[in-house]
Amino acid sequence: ALSFPHYDSRPRFASFPQSAETYLRATDEQGRFQQSEGSLLVGNDKKERAEPADVKKIRTNTNTKRLPCYPIANGHSIVLPCGGLEVVDALSPEEEGSGTMHWDSYMPNVPDKDYLQYAPGRSQFTVGSFTGDANTMAGDRSSTSEYNGARIFSRLEALGLPNPIDSSNGKAGDLFRS
C-alpha cells in the first residue's frame, strides 16, 4: 500500500492544488495509484525537462500493481493488518465537546509548549484546540466550486476511509463527524 501524507483539501490556494490535485492526478477513481505522467522531471531547460528512464520504470511498474494509495490529512492515521492492504481502522483527532474530525479536515498546529495536550491518559484535545483556530476549516466538499473537493469521495469510499458524505454531518463547513 502507498500513502499520501499531508493530504490537504482545504479550499485555499496555499493548500490547493499542490496537495489535493496532486493526489487526485496520481490515483484512479478507486484510490489506486495510477500516475499516467511523470512528475519528477530533470533538466536545465524547462522545455527539455524529462523523466529519467529509471524513474519512469519505477512509476510504470508501480502503476501495474494497482496499489491502494491512502490520502492522510495532518493528524489522521490508518491501521493496516500485518502484510495487508486494506484499512482495519482509521483514526482522527478529537476535540473535547466537539467530536472527531472529518477525514478531509486538516488538523492545525496546536500550540502547547508544555505538551499538556499529550499527557498520559488524555484522549482528546482541549476545547478550542481546533474550533478556536482561524486556520482550521473543513475540506471543500462541493462538486460545483472551482476546487471541486467532492472528487475525493469515490476514493475515500473505495479505500474504506471515513467519508463526509456518509453522514448528515458532512455538509460544507462541518469539521466534525461525531
Side-chain angles (χ1 to χ4, degrees), residues 50-143:
E51 181 179 40
D54 54 342
V55 173
K56 182 177 182 177
K57 183 178 179 181
I58 292 169
R59 179 179 54 79
T60 56
N61 286 345
T62 305
N63 282 343
T64 62
K65 294 178 182 176
R66 302 182 49 80
L67 295 171
C69 185
Y70 297 101
I72 303 174
N74 190 41
H76 302 264
S77 63
I78 58 173
V79 177
L80 301 172
C82 183
L85 299 176
E86 294 184 19
V87 171
V88 173
D89 202 359
L91 307 169
S92 298
E94 297 180 31
E95 179 181 279
E96 291 174 345
S98 297
T100 304
M101 290 185 88
H102 274 299
W103 191 257
D104 65 343
S105 294
Y106 194 86
M107 186 183 123
N109 178 40
V110 179
D112 182 9
K113 64 180 181 144
D114 297 323
Y115 298 98
L116 298 176
Q117 298 277 9
Y118 306 97
R122 287 200 58 82
S123 62
Q124 296 179 322
F125 287 89
T126 57
V127 172
S129 293
F130 310 141
T131 53
D133 181 273
N135 292 315
T136 305
M137 62 178 64
D140 184 313
R141 301 178 187 132
S142 170
S143 60

Side-chain angles (χ1 to χ4, degrees), residues 15-46:
S15 307
F16 180 84
Q18 294 85 350
S19 175
E21 187 64 34
T22 300
Y23 172 78
L24 292 165
R25 254 194 336 264
T27 57
D28 65 14
E29 288 293 315
Q30 299 298 309
R32 294 179 299 247
F33 184 80
Q34 188 61 49
Q35 188 175 2
S36 57
E37 295 189 26
S39 59
L40 177 63
L41 309 177
V42 296
N44 293 331
D45 185 351
K46 203 170 191 179

